[in-house]
Amino acid sequence: MGNASSIEPTKTVFLDIDGKKEKIMFSRHCGSRDIHDLIAHAAGVSRYAEISLRDSTGAFVSLNPTMPINTQSSPYKVTSKEPSPTTGDGEVFTQVLSQVASQFNKVFKVEEMKTDIATRLSALERKMELEGLKAVEIEKCKRDISDIKDQIWNAQKKFVDFNRLSDEAHPVSSLSDERKISLKRDVPSYPKYTLSQETIEYLKQPTFDIWHWEPNEMLSLLEHMFHELGLVAEFNINPITLKRFFLCVQENYRNNPFHNFRHCFCVTQMMYGMIHLCHLWEVMTREDLGILMTACVCHDLDHPGYNNTYQINARTELAIRYNDISPLENHHCAVAFKILSNPECNIFANVDKDTFKRIRAGITMLILATDMARHGEIMDNFKMKLEPEFDYKNKDSLDTLKMVLIKCCDISNEVRPMEVSEPWVDCLLEEYFNQSDREKMEGLPVAPFMDRDKVTKPTAQIGFIKFVLIPMFETVAKLFPVIDSTMVEPLRIARDRYEDMKEKNSMPPPPSQNNKKKTVTEK
Protein backbone atom coordinates (compact mmCIF):
# COMPACT_ATOMS: atom_id res chain seq x y z
CA MET A 1 0.00 0.00 0.00
CA GLY A 2 3.04 2.29 -0.20
CA ASN A 3 2.42 4.39 2.88
CA ALA A 4 -0.37 2.81 4.83
CA SER A 5 -0.15 5.15 7.77
CA SER A 6 -3.31 6.96 6.75
CA ILE A 7 -5.25 3.71 7.12
CA GLU A 8 -3.48 1.65 9.80
CA PRO A 9 -0.40 3.35 11.32
CA THR A 10 0.66 0.60 13.73
CA LYS A 11 -0.26 -2.92 14.79
CA THR A 12 -0.35 -4.20 18.34
CA VAL A 13 0.26 -7.89 19.02
CA PHE A 14 0.11 -9.52 22.45
CA LEU A 15 2.60 -12.24 23.41
CA ASP A 16 2.95 -14.95 26.06
CA ILE A 17 6.66 -15.45 26.81
CA ASP A 18 7.10 -18.27 29.34
CA GLY A 19 3.95 -17.15 31.15
CA LYS A 20 4.91 -13.47 31.04
CA LYS A 21 2.59 -11.20 29.09
CA GLU A 22 4.27 -8.81 26.66
CA LYS A 23 3.05 -6.42 23.97
CA ILE A 24 4.79 -5.30 20.78
CA MET A 25 3.83 -2.57 18.35
CA PHE A 26 5.08 -2.22 14.80
CA SER A 27 4.37 -0.40 11.57
CA ARG A 28 3.20 -2.12 8.38
CA HIS A 29 6.46 -0.86 6.88
CA CYS A 30 8.40 -3.29 9.07
CA GLY A 31 9.83 -6.39 7.47
CA SER A 32 9.57 -9.93 8.83
CA ARG A 33 13.13 -9.68 10.17
CA ASP A 34 12.28 -6.46 12.07
CA ILE A 35 9.35 -8.20 13.78
CA HIS A 36 11.54 -11.24 14.53
CA ASP A 37 14.16 -9.02 16.20
CA LEU A 38 11.47 -7.16 18.16
CA ILE A 39 10.07 -10.42 19.58
CA ALA A 40 13.59 -11.71 20.29
CA HIS A 41 14.31 -8.54 22.29
CA ALA A 42 11.07 -8.95 24.24
CA ALA A 43 11.91 -12.60 24.92
CA GLY A 44 15.44 -11.75 26.05
CA VAL A 45 17.11 -13.95 23.44
CA SER A 46 19.61 -13.14 20.71
CA ARG A 47 18.47 -11.92 17.30
CA TYR A 48 19.85 -15.16 15.84
CA ALA A 49 17.45 -17.33 17.82
CA GLU A 50 14.69 -19.22 16.05
CA ILE A 51 11.33 -17.66 16.93
CA SER A 52 7.92 -19.24 16.36
CA LEU A 53 4.40 -18.12 17.33
CA ARG A 54 1.32 -20.22 17.96
CA ASP A 55 -2.23 -18.98 18.48
CA SER A 56 -4.69 -20.28 21.06
CA THR A 57 -5.57 -23.25 18.82
CA GLY A 58 -1.92 -24.28 18.47
CA ALA A 59 -1.65 -23.15 14.84
CA PHE A 60 1.59 -21.50 13.72
CA VAL A 61 1.36 -17.76 12.99
CA SER A 62 3.51 -16.23 10.27
CA LEU A 63 6.00 -13.54 11.40
CA ASN A 64 5.18 -10.81 8.92
CA PRO A 65 3.48 -7.39 8.96
CA THR A 66 0.17 -8.93 7.83
CA MET A 67 -0.08 -11.35 10.76
CA PRO A 68 -3.57 -11.35 12.33
CA ILE A 69 -3.96 -9.09 15.32
CA ASN A 70 -5.00 -10.67 18.62
CA THR A 71 -6.20 -9.56 22.05
CA GLN A 72 -4.62 -9.43 25.49
CA SER A 73 -6.77 -12.40 26.51
CA SER A 74 -5.56 -14.54 23.61
CA PRO A 75 -1.82 -13.81 23.23
CA TYR A 76 0.43 -15.70 20.84
CA LYS A 77 2.63 -18.28 22.60
CA VAL A 78 6.32 -17.53 21.89
CA THR A 79 8.83 -20.35 21.47
CA SER A 80 12.51 -19.54 21.00
CA LYS A 81 15.60 -21.63 20.36
CA GLU A 82 19.15 -20.32 20.40
CA PRO A 83 21.41 -21.56 17.56
CA SER A 84 24.11 -24.04 18.53
CA PRO A 85 27.71 -23.36 17.44
CA THR A 86 28.67 -25.32 14.34
CA THR A 87 31.85 -27.42 14.20
CA GLY A 88 34.60 -26.60 11.80
CA ASP A 89 34.92 -23.01 10.66
CA GLY A 90 36.80 -24.16 7.55
CA GLU A 91 33.68 -26.06 6.55
CA VAL A 92 31.50 -23.03 7.26
CA PHE A 93 33.79 -20.81 5.19
CA THR A 94 33.75 -23.31 2.31
CA GLN A 95 29.95 -23.36 2.43
CA VAL A 96 29.88 -19.57 2.25
CA LEU A 97 32.14 -19.57 -0.81
CA SER A 98 29.96 -22.15 -2.56
CA GLN A 99 26.87 -20.09 -1.75
CA VAL A 100 28.55 -17.00 -3.22
CA ALA A 101 29.24 -18.90 -6.45
CA SER A 102 25.58 -19.87 -6.77
CA GLN A 103 24.49 -16.32 -6.00
CA PHE A 104 26.33 -14.99 -9.07
CA ASN A 105 23.88 -17.04 -11.13
CA LYS A 106 21.07 -14.95 -9.64
CA VAL A 107 22.21 -11.69 -11.22
CA PHE A 108 18.64 -10.46 -11.57
CA LYS A 109 18.14 -10.71 -7.81
CA VAL A 110 21.07 -8.62 -6.61
CA GLU A 111 19.34 -7.19 -3.54
CA GLU A 112 18.34 -10.64 -2.23
CA MET A 113 21.90 -11.82 -2.91
CA LYS A 114 23.42 -8.93 -0.95
CA THR A 115 21.15 -9.55 2.03
CA ASP A 116 21.82 -13.28 2.03
CA ILE A 117 25.61 -12.91 1.76
CA ALA A 118 25.71 -10.19 4.42
CA THR A 119 23.83 -12.49 6.80
CA ARG A 120 26.15 -15.40 6.11
CA LEU A 121 29.29 -13.29 6.48
CA SER A 122 28.03 -11.93 9.79
CA ALA A 123 27.35 -15.48 10.98
CA LEU A 124 30.85 -16.57 9.95
CA GLU A 125 32.54 -13.72 11.80
CA ARG A 126 30.47 -14.48 14.90
CA LYS A 127 31.33 -18.20 14.77
CA MET A 128 35.06 -17.45 14.39
CA GLU A 129 35.01 -15.37 17.55
CA LEU A 130 33.02 -18.03 19.44
CA GLU A 131 35.46 -20.77 18.49
CA GLY A 132 38.48 -18.66 19.40
CA LEU A 133 40.57 -19.01 16.25
CA LYS A 134 44.14 -17.83 16.31
CA ALA A 135 44.71 -14.18 15.44
CA VAL A 136 46.49 -15.05 12.19
CA GLU A 137 43.64 -17.30 11.04
CA ILE A 138 41.08 -14.65 11.93
CA GLU A 139 42.93 -12.00 9.95
CA LYS A 140 43.24 -14.34 6.97
CA CYS A 141 39.52 -15.13 7.07
CA LYS A 142 38.69 -11.45 7.35
CA ARG A 143 40.81 -10.68 4.29
CA ASP A 144 38.99 -13.44 2.40
CA ILE A 145 35.68 -12.01 3.54
CA SER A 146 36.72 -8.57 2.33
CA ASP A 147 37.65 -10.09 -1.04
CA ILE A 148 34.24 -11.72 -1.29
CA LYS A 149 32.53 -8.40 -0.60
CA ASP A 150 34.63 -6.71 -3.28
CA GLN A 151 33.73 -9.42 -5.79
CA ILE A 152 30.04 -9.04 -5.05
CA TRP A 153 30.28 -5.26 -5.38
CA ASN A 154 32.11 -5.48 -8.69
CA ALA A 155 29.62 -8.01 -10.06
CA GLN A 156 26.70 -5.82 -9.03
CA LYS A 157 28.33 -2.71 -10.49
CA LYS A 158 28.93 -4.41 -13.84
CA PHE A 159 25.35 -5.61 -13.92
CA VAL A 160 23.94 -2.18 -13.11
CA ASP A 161 26.16 -0.46 -15.70
CA PHE A 162 25.24 -2.99 -18.37
CA ASN A 163 21.49 -2.72 -17.77
CA ARG A 164 21.07 0.90 -16.70
CA LEU A 165 19.62 2.14 -20.00
CA SER A 166 17.23 -0.79 -20.23
CA ASP A 167 16.09 -0.35 -16.62
CA GLU A 168 15.46 3.36 -17.09
CA ALA A 169 13.30 2.66 -20.13
CA HIS A 170 11.50 -0.35 -18.64
CA PRO A 171 11.67 -0.29 -14.81
CA VAL A 172 9.39 -3.28 -14.31
CA SER A 173 10.50 -5.55 -17.12
CA SER A 174 10.00 -9.26 -16.53
CA LEU A 175 12.63 -11.84 -15.81
CA SER A 176 13.88 -13.93 -18.72
CA ASP A 177 11.56 -16.82 -19.50
CA GLU A 178 14.57 -19.12 -19.85
CA ARG A 179 15.27 -18.78 -16.13
CA LYS A 180 11.82 -19.90 -15.13
CA ILE A 181 12.58 -23.61 -15.43
CA SER A 182 15.58 -23.48 -13.10
CA LEU A 183 14.43 -25.11 -9.86
CA LYS A 184 16.57 -23.73 -7.05
CA ARG A 185 15.55 -26.35 -4.48
CA ASP A 186 14.95 -30.04 -4.81
CA VAL A 187 12.70 -32.33 -2.82
CA PRO A 188 12.42 -33.21 -0.08
CA SER A 189 12.93 -29.55 0.89
CA TYR A 190 9.92 -29.27 3.17
CA PRO A 191 8.58 -31.74 5.73
CA LYS A 192 5.53 -33.90 5.11
CA TYR A 193 2.66 -32.53 7.16
CA THR A 194 -0.02 -34.87 8.48
CA LEU A 195 -3.32 -33.04 8.13
CA SER A 196 -5.98 -33.54 10.77
CA GLN A 197 -9.50 -34.44 9.66
CA GLU A 198 -10.61 -31.01 10.93
CA THR A 199 -8.08 -29.27 8.65
CA ILE A 200 -9.07 -31.47 5.70
CA GLU A 201 -12.72 -30.44 6.06
CA TYR A 202 -11.87 -26.80 6.82
CA LEU A 203 -9.80 -26.64 3.61
CA LYS A 204 -13.01 -27.16 1.60
CA GLN A 205 -14.71 -24.09 3.09
CA PRO A 206 -14.75 -20.55 1.62
CA THR A 207 -14.15 -19.30 5.19
CA PHE A 208 -10.67 -20.93 5.28
CA ASP A 209 -8.13 -18.60 6.97
CA ILE A 210 -5.13 -18.46 4.65
CA TRP A 211 -3.06 -16.24 6.98
CA HIS A 212 -2.23 -19.02 9.47
CA TRP A 213 -0.13 -21.10 7.09
CA GLU A 214 3.59 -20.95 6.38
CA PRO A 215 4.83 -21.34 2.75
CA ASN A 216 5.88 -24.97 3.28
CA GLU A 217 2.48 -25.75 4.79
CA MET A 218 0.75 -24.14 1.82
CA LEU A 219 2.80 -26.38 -0.50
CA SER A 220 1.62 -29.45 1.42
CA LEU A 221 -2.00 -28.27 1.31
CA LEU A 222 -1.78 -27.79 -2.46
CA GLU A 223 -0.44 -31.34 -2.77
CA HIS A 224 -3.34 -32.62 -0.69
CA MET A 225 -5.89 -30.86 -2.94
CA PHE A 226 -4.47 -32.47 -6.09
CA HIS A 227 -4.39 -35.92 -4.46
CA GLU A 228 -7.85 -35.63 -2.91
CA LEU A 229 -9.49 -34.55 -6.18
CA GLY A 230 -7.99 -37.56 -7.94
CA LEU A 231 -5.84 -35.41 -10.26
CA VAL A 232 -2.63 -37.30 -9.45
CA ALA A 233 -4.29 -40.53 -10.57
CA GLU A 234 -6.09 -38.90 -13.52
CA PHE A 235 -2.89 -37.51 -15.06
CA ASN A 236 -0.60 -40.27 -13.69
CA ILE A 237 1.53 -37.63 -11.94
CA ASN A 238 4.73 -38.71 -10.21
CA PRO A 239 4.33 -37.40 -6.60
CA ILE A 240 7.94 -36.13 -6.62
CA THR A 241 7.29 -34.27 -9.87
CA LEU A 242 4.21 -32.69 -8.25
CA LYS A 243 6.38 -31.47 -5.36
CA ARG A 244 8.95 -30.04 -7.77
CA PHE A 245 6.21 -28.32 -9.78
CA PHE A 246 4.80 -26.55 -6.72
CA LEU A 247 8.29 -25.58 -5.52
CA CYS A 248 9.14 -24.07 -8.90
CA VAL A 249 5.80 -22.23 -9.01
CA GLN A 250 6.45 -20.80 -5.53
CA GLU A 251 9.92 -19.61 -6.56
CA ASN A 252 8.45 -17.75 -9.53
CA TYR A 253 5.96 -15.65 -7.59
CA ARG A 254 7.52 -12.33 -6.59
CA ASN A 255 7.32 -10.82 -3.10
CA ASN A 256 4.68 -8.25 -4.07
CA PRO A 257 2.33 -6.88 -1.40
CA PHE A 258 -0.68 -8.56 -3.10
CA HIS A 259 0.20 -10.61 -6.19
CA ASN A 260 2.38 -13.16 -4.40
CA PHE A 261 2.42 -16.89 -3.65
CA ARG A 262 -0.11 -16.53 -0.81
CA HIS A 263 -2.55 -14.97 -3.30
CA CYS A 264 -1.93 -17.95 -5.61
CA PHE A 265 -2.74 -20.33 -2.73
CA CYS A 266 -5.79 -18.25 -1.76
CA VAL A 267 -7.28 -18.42 -5.28
CA THR A 268 -6.53 -22.16 -5.62
CA GLN A 269 -8.08 -22.93 -2.23
CA MET A 270 -11.24 -21.01 -3.16
CA MET A 271 -11.51 -23.01 -6.40
CA TYR A 272 -11.06 -26.21 -4.38
CA GLY A 273 -13.83 -25.02 -2.06
CA MET A 274 -16.18 -24.21 -4.96
CA ILE A 275 -15.53 -27.63 -6.52
CA HIS A 276 -16.75 -29.27 -3.31
CA LEU A 277 -19.47 -26.73 -2.57
CA CYS A 278 -21.05 -27.04 -6.05
CA HIS A 279 -20.20 -30.73 -6.61
CA LEU A 280 -18.54 -29.77 -9.88
CA TRP A 281 -17.39 -33.36 -10.48
CA GLU A 282 -21.04 -34.09 -11.34
CA VAL A 283 -21.01 -31.73 -14.36
CA MET A 284 -17.31 -31.70 -15.30
CA THR A 285 -14.67 -34.30 -16.06
CA ARG A 286 -11.66 -34.79 -13.82
CA GLU A 287 -9.58 -33.35 -16.66
CA ASP A 288 -11.64 -30.14 -16.43
CA LEU A 289 -11.07 -30.00 -12.66
CA GLY A 290 -7.32 -30.42 -13.22
CA ILE A 291 -7.32 -27.55 -15.72
CA LEU A 292 -9.21 -25.33 -13.26
CA MET A 293 -6.85 -26.08 -10.35
CA THR A 294 -3.64 -25.77 -12.38
CA ALA A 295 -4.78 -22.50 -13.95
CA CYS A 296 -5.42 -21.10 -10.45
CA VAL A 297 -1.94 -22.16 -9.29
CA CYS A 298 -0.29 -20.47 -12.30
CA HIS A 299 -2.61 -17.51 -12.95
CA ASP A 300 -0.30 -14.73 -11.64
CA LEU A 301 3.19 -16.22 -12.10
CA ASP A 302 6.00 -13.62 -12.10
CA HIS A 303 3.54 -10.74 -11.63
CA PRO A 304 5.69 -7.57 -11.41
CA GLY A 305 3.27 -5.69 -9.11
CA TYR A 306 2.20 -3.19 -11.79
CA ASN A 307 -0.98 -3.79 -13.79
CA ASN A 308 -1.67 -3.92 -17.53
CA THR A 309 -2.52 -0.22 -17.70
CA TYR A 310 0.96 0.64 -16.44
CA GLN A 311 2.61 -1.89 -18.77
CA ILE A 312 0.87 -0.34 -21.78
CA ASN A 313 1.32 3.31 -20.81
CA ALA A 314 4.99 2.80 -19.89
CA ARG A 315 5.59 0.75 -23.05
CA THR A 316 7.31 -2.00 -21.11
CA GLU A 317 8.93 -5.06 -22.61
CA LEU A 318 5.82 -7.12 -21.84
CA ALA A 319 3.46 -4.65 -23.51
CA ILE A 320 5.65 -4.55 -26.62
CA ARG A 321 6.02 -8.33 -26.72
CA TYR A 322 2.26 -8.95 -26.51
CA ASN A 323 1.11 -5.91 -28.53
CA ASP A 324 -0.76 -4.35 -25.56
CA ILE A 325 -3.16 -7.34 -25.46
CA SER A 326 -3.38 -8.68 -21.88
CA PRO A 327 0.42 -8.46 -21.47
CA LEU A 328 0.48 -9.73 -17.89
CA GLU A 329 -1.90 -12.64 -18.44
CA ASN A 330 0.01 -13.70 -21.56
CA HIS A 331 3.23 -13.56 -19.54
CA HIS A 332 1.74 -15.66 -16.72
CA CYS A 333 0.82 -18.32 -19.32
CA ALA A 334 4.27 -18.24 -20.88
CA VAL A 335 6.00 -18.70 -17.52
CA ALA A 336 3.61 -21.52 -16.58
CA PHE A 337 4.37 -23.53 -19.69
CA LYS A 338 8.08 -22.73 -19.42
CA ILE A 339 7.97 -24.40 -16.01
CA LEU A 340 6.04 -27.35 -17.48
CA SER A 341 8.63 -27.62 -20.26
CA ASN A 342 11.13 -28.74 -17.61
CA PRO A 343 10.83 -32.56 -17.36
CA GLU A 344 11.49 -32.37 -13.61
CA CYS A 345 8.40 -30.18 -13.13
CA ASN A 346 6.07 -31.41 -15.90
CA ILE A 347 3.05 -32.82 -14.08
CA PHE A 348 1.45 -33.62 -17.45
CA ALA A 349 4.42 -35.61 -18.79
CA ASN A 350 2.47 -38.88 -18.78
CA VAL A 351 -0.60 -37.79 -20.79
CA ASP A 352 -0.90 -38.30 -24.53
CA LYS A 353 -0.41 -35.49 -27.05
CA ASP A 354 -4.12 -34.84 -27.65
CA THR A 355 -4.81 -34.62 -23.91
CA PHE A 356 -1.90 -32.23 -23.37
CA LYS A 357 -3.14 -30.09 -26.26
CA ARG A 358 -6.55 -29.79 -24.55
CA ILE A 359 -4.92 -29.07 -21.18
CA ARG A 360 -2.69 -26.35 -22.63
CA ALA A 361 -5.59 -24.70 -24.45
CA GLY A 362 -7.77 -24.86 -21.34
CA ILE A 363 -5.18 -23.39 -18.94
CA THR A 364 -4.32 -20.62 -21.40
CA MET A 365 -8.00 -19.76 -21.88
CA LEU A 366 -8.59 -19.54 -18.12
CA ILE A 367 -5.52 -17.47 -17.26
CA LEU A 368 -6.31 -14.99 -20.07
CA ALA A 369 -9.88 -14.75 -18.69
CA THR A 370 -8.52 -13.22 -15.44
CA ASP A 371 -7.83 -9.93 -17.27
CA MET A 372 -10.50 -7.63 -15.76
CA ALA A 373 -10.63 -5.71 -19.07
CA ARG A 374 -12.60 -8.71 -20.38
CA HIS A 375 -15.02 -8.87 -17.43
CA GLY A 376 -18.06 -7.41 -19.21
CA GLU A 377 -17.54 -9.54 -22.33
CA ILE A 378 -17.26 -12.80 -20.36
CA MET A 379 -20.22 -12.07 -18.05
CA ASP A 380 -22.51 -11.06 -20.93
CA ASN A 381 -21.62 -14.29 -22.73
CA PHE A 382 -22.30 -16.32 -19.58
CA LYS A 383 -25.71 -14.70 -19.00
CA MET A 384 -26.72 -15.52 -22.58
CA LYS A 385 -25.85 -19.19 -22.02
CA LEU A 386 -28.07 -19.36 -18.93
CA GLU A 387 -31.16 -18.77 -21.09
CA PRO A 388 -33.36 -20.67 -21.42
CA GLU A 389 -31.32 -23.43 -19.74
CA PHE A 390 -27.58 -23.98 -19.30
CA ASP A 391 -26.25 -26.85 -21.43
CA TYR A 392 -23.46 -28.65 -19.58
CA LYS A 393 -22.82 -30.86 -22.63
CA ASN A 394 -22.01 -27.87 -24.83
CA LYS A 395 -18.22 -27.24 -24.84
CA ASP A 396 -18.55 -23.49 -25.41
CA SER A 397 -20.98 -23.17 -22.49
CA LEU A 398 -18.76 -25.23 -20.20
CA ASP A 399 -15.68 -23.19 -21.18
CA THR A 400 -17.54 -19.98 -20.33
CA LEU A 401 -18.57 -21.42 -16.96
CA LYS A 402 -14.93 -22.32 -16.18
CA MET A 403 -13.82 -18.78 -17.11
CA VAL A 404 -16.42 -17.31 -14.74
CA LEU A 405 -15.37 -19.69 -11.96
CA ILE A 406 -11.69 -18.70 -12.09
CA LYS A 407 -12.75 -15.03 -12.19
CA CYS A 408 -14.84 -15.57 -9.05
CA CYS A 409 -11.92 -17.22 -7.24
CA ASP A 410 -9.40 -14.59 -8.37
CA ILE A 411 -11.33 -11.73 -6.74
CA SER A 412 -13.08 -13.65 -3.95
CA ASN A 413 -11.36 -12.18 -0.89
CA GLU A 414 -14.46 -10.35 0.33
CA VAL A 415 -16.34 -13.68 0.41
CA ARG A 416 -14.16 -14.65 3.36
CA PRO A 417 -14.67 -13.43 6.97
CA MET A 418 -13.63 -9.85 7.71
CA GLU A 419 -10.51 -10.83 9.68
CA VAL A 420 -9.30 -12.76 6.63
CA SER A 421 -10.39 -10.36 3.88
CA GLU A 422 -9.47 -6.97 5.33
CA PRO A 423 -5.66 -7.52 5.40
CA TRP A 424 -5.90 -8.30 1.68
CA VAL A 425 -7.40 -4.83 1.09
CA ASP A 426 -4.38 -3.27 2.80
CA CYS A 427 -2.04 -5.37 0.63
CA LEU A 428 -3.90 -4.41 -2.55
CA LEU A 429 -3.91 -0.70 -1.70
CA GLU A 430 -0.18 -0.88 -0.98
CA GLU A 431 0.43 -2.30 -4.45
CA TYR A 432 -1.92 0.29 -6.00
CA PHE A 433 -0.17 3.17 -4.22
CA ASN A 434 3.25 1.89 -5.31
CA GLN A 435 2.04 1.98 -8.89
CA SER A 436 0.40 5.40 -8.70
CA ASP A 437 3.52 6.87 -7.07
CA ARG A 438 5.60 5.56 -9.97
CA GLU A 439 3.08 6.80 -12.53
CA LYS A 440 3.22 10.30 -11.03
CA MET A 441 7.02 10.19 -11.05
CA GLU A 442 7.08 9.11 -14.70
CA GLY A 443 4.34 11.49 -15.85
CA LEU A 444 1.90 8.70 -16.72
CA PRO A 445 -1.91 8.75 -16.23
CA VAL A 446 -2.99 7.81 -12.70
CA ALA A 447 -6.25 5.91 -12.03
CA PRO A 448 -8.26 7.61 -9.24
CA PHE A 449 -8.84 4.27 -7.45
CA MET A 450 -5.05 3.88 -7.09
CA ASP A 451 -4.21 7.42 -5.96
CA ARG A 452 -3.25 7.55 -2.28
CA ASP A 453 -4.51 11.17 -2.18
CA LYS A 454 -8.02 10.20 -3.33
CA VAL A 455 -8.85 6.65 -2.28
CA THR A 456 -9.74 5.19 1.13
CA LYS A 457 -10.42 1.64 2.12
CA PRO A 458 -14.25 2.02 2.02
CA THR A 459 -14.30 3.89 -1.30
CA ALA A 460 -11.97 1.28 -2.79
CA GLN A 461 -14.27 -1.60 -1.88
CA ILE A 462 -17.90 -0.39 -1.96
CA GLY A 463 -18.19 0.10 -5.71
CA PHE A 464 -16.22 -3.06 -6.49
CA ILE A 465 -18.43 -5.19 -4.25
CA LYS A 466 -21.71 -3.61 -5.43
CA PHE A 467 -21.10 -3.51 -9.18
CA VAL A 468 -18.65 -6.37 -9.82
CA LEU A 469 -18.65 -9.02 -7.09
CA ILE A 470 -22.30 -9.27 -6.05
CA PRO A 471 -23.71 -9.29 -9.64
CA MET A 472 -21.15 -11.91 -10.72
CA PHE A 473 -21.73 -14.27 -7.79
CA GLU A 474 -25.52 -13.79 -8.02
CA THR A 475 -25.33 -14.88 -11.66
CA VAL A 476 -23.35 -18.01 -10.77
CA ALA A 477 -25.87 -18.71 -7.98
CA LYS A 478 -28.53 -19.21 -10.66
CA LEU A 479 -26.69 -22.42 -11.59
CA PHE A 480 -25.58 -23.34 -8.06
CA PRO A 481 -28.12 -21.96 -5.50
CA VAL A 482 -25.91 -22.93 -2.53
CA ILE A 483 -23.64 -20.02 -3.49
CA ASP A 484 -26.29 -17.48 -2.47
CA SER A 485 -26.03 -18.25 1.25
CA THR A 486 -22.33 -19.16 1.38
CA MET A 487 -20.87 -16.45 -0.87
CA VAL A 488 -23.38 -13.79 -1.93
CA GLU A 489 -24.64 -13.14 1.60
CA PRO A 490 -21.11 -12.54 3.00
CA LEU A 491 -20.58 -10.06 0.12
CA ARG A 492 -23.73 -8.15 1.10
CA ILE A 493 -22.50 -8.05 4.70
CA ALA A 494 -19.09 -6.75 3.55
CA ARG A 495 -20.77 -4.08 1.42
CA ASP A 496 -22.85 -2.87 4.37
CA ARG A 497 -19.79 -2.87 6.65
CA TYR A 498 -17.78 -0.67 4.27
CA GLU A 499 -20.74 1.67 3.76
CA ASP A 500 -21.00 2.09 7.54
CA MET A 501 -17.25 2.71 7.68
CA LYS A 502 -17.52 5.34 4.94
CA GLU A 503 -20.40 7.06 6.73
CA LYS A 504 -18.47 7.18 10.02
CA ASN A 505 -15.38 8.55 8.26
CA SER A 506 -17.42 11.30 6.59
CA MET A 507 -19.05 12.50 9.82
CA PRO A 508 -17.57 15.79 11.11
CA PRO A 509 -15.84 15.52 14.49
CA PRO A 510 -17.87 16.79 17.49
CA PRO A 511 -17.08 20.41 18.40
CA SER A 512 -14.66 20.91 21.27
CA GLN A 513 -15.64 22.69 24.47
CA ASN A 514 -13.65 25.78 23.41
CA ASN A 515 -15.55 25.97 20.14
CA LYS A 516 -18.86 25.69 22.00
CA LYS A 517 -17.95 28.57 24.31
CA LYS A 518 -16.82 30.72 21.39
CA THR A 519 -20.11 30.08 19.56
CA VAL A 520 -22.15 31.09 22.62
CA THR A 521 -20.09 34.27 23.04
CA GLU A 522 -20.48 35.27 19.41
CA LYS A 523 -24.24 34.84 19.63
Side-chain angles (χ1 to χ4, degrees), residues 418-457:
M418 180 188 70
E419 61 271 16
V420 181
S421 64
E422 196 161 352
W424 278 121
V425 182
D426 294 333
C427 294
L428 183 61
L429 288 179
E430 181 174 352
E431 203 164 289
Y432 279 175
F433 293 165
N434 287 341
Q435 176 171 323
S436 64
D437 290 346
R438 180 178 289 276
E439 286 170 333
K440 291 175 184 178
M441 182 177 65
E442 297 178 357
L444 299 174
V446 178
F449 69 89
M450 289 188 170
D451 193 337
R452 70 172 69 250
D453 299 322
K454 297 179 181 178
V455 71
T456 63
K457 192 183 293 187

Side-chain angles (χ1 to χ4, degrees), residues 264-481:
C264 148
F265 174 78
C266 187
V267 174
T268 308
Q269 185 276 323
M270 185 60 75
M271 180 64 77
Y272 179 70
M274 291 191 77
I275 288 172
H276 282 280
L277 189 66
C278 304
H279 294 180
L280 292 183
W281 56 81
E282 296 177 357
V283 295
M284 294 183 186
T285 65
R286 217 167 288 277
E287 181 181 305
D288 289 325
L289 300 184
I291 290 171
L292 281 169
M293 292 292 289
T294 308
C296 287
V297 169
C298 300
H299 83 284
D300 271 332
L301 274 167
D302 196 40
H303 195 297
Y306 299 84
N307 69 10
N308 279 332
T309 301
Y310 176 86
Q311 304 296 324
I312 294 168
N313 289 339
R315 302 176 184 177
T316 65
E317 178 187 339
L318 288 181
I320 294 170
R321 181 184 305 164
Y322 296 111
N323 302 308
D324 295 349
I325 301 172
S326 303
L328 287 180
E329 290 71 26
N330 274 293
H331 180 58
H332 305 326
C333 284
V335 176
F337 285 99
K338 205 70 182 178
I339 291 174
L340 289 170
S341 70
N342 181 357
E344 292 184 344
C345 304
N346 186 5
I347 58 175
F348 301 118
N350 295 324
V351 303
D352 58 58
K353 290 182 179 180
D354 290 338
T355 302
F356 183 76
K357 186 176 180 181
R358 290 195 303 272
I359 292 171
R360 174 166 163 76
I363 292 174
T364 302
M365 174 190 71
L366 295 185
I367 294 179
L368 292 179
T370 60
D371 184 355
M372 284 302 293
R374 298 182 57 201
H375 179 78
E377 162 213 334
I378 294 172
M379 291 308 301
D380 289 344
N381 192 19
F382 182 58
K383 290 172 186 176
M384 288 175 56
K385 296 187 184 306
L386 290 175
E387 303 296 339
E389 185 177 354
F390 190 84
D391 184 4
Y392 287 102
K393 295 182 180 180
N394 181 278
K395 182 181 182 304
D396 188 38
S397 297
L398 205 58
D399 284 347
T400 305
L401 172 60
K402 287 188 287 186
M403 286 192 281
V404 172
L405 288 174
I406 194 171
K407 284 174 59 59
C408 287
C409 296
D410 189 23
I411 53 178
S412 63
N413 288 327
E414 290 297 344
V415 169
R416 301 180 189 271
M418 180 188 70
E419 61 271 16
V420 181
S421 64
E422 196 161 352
W424 278 121
V425 182
D426 294 333
C427 294
L428 183 61
L429 288 179
E430 181 174 352
E431 203 164 289
Y432 279 175
F433 293 165
N434 287 341
Q435 176 171 323
S436 64
D437 290 346
R438 180 178 289 276
E439 286 170 333
K440 291 175 184 178
M441 182 177 65
E442 297 178 357
L444 299 174
V446 178
F449 69 89
M450 289 188 170
D451 193 337
R452 70 172 69 250
D453 299 322
K454 297 179 181 178
V455 71
T456 63
K457 192 183 293 187
T459 58
Q461 292 303 96
I462 292 172
F464 187 66
I465 295 173
K466 286 174 66 173
F467 301 115
V468 177
L469 293 180
I470 291 179
M472 179 170 65
F473 278 88
E474 284 179 338
T475 305
V476 179
K478 293 178 181 179
L479 274 186
F480 308 104

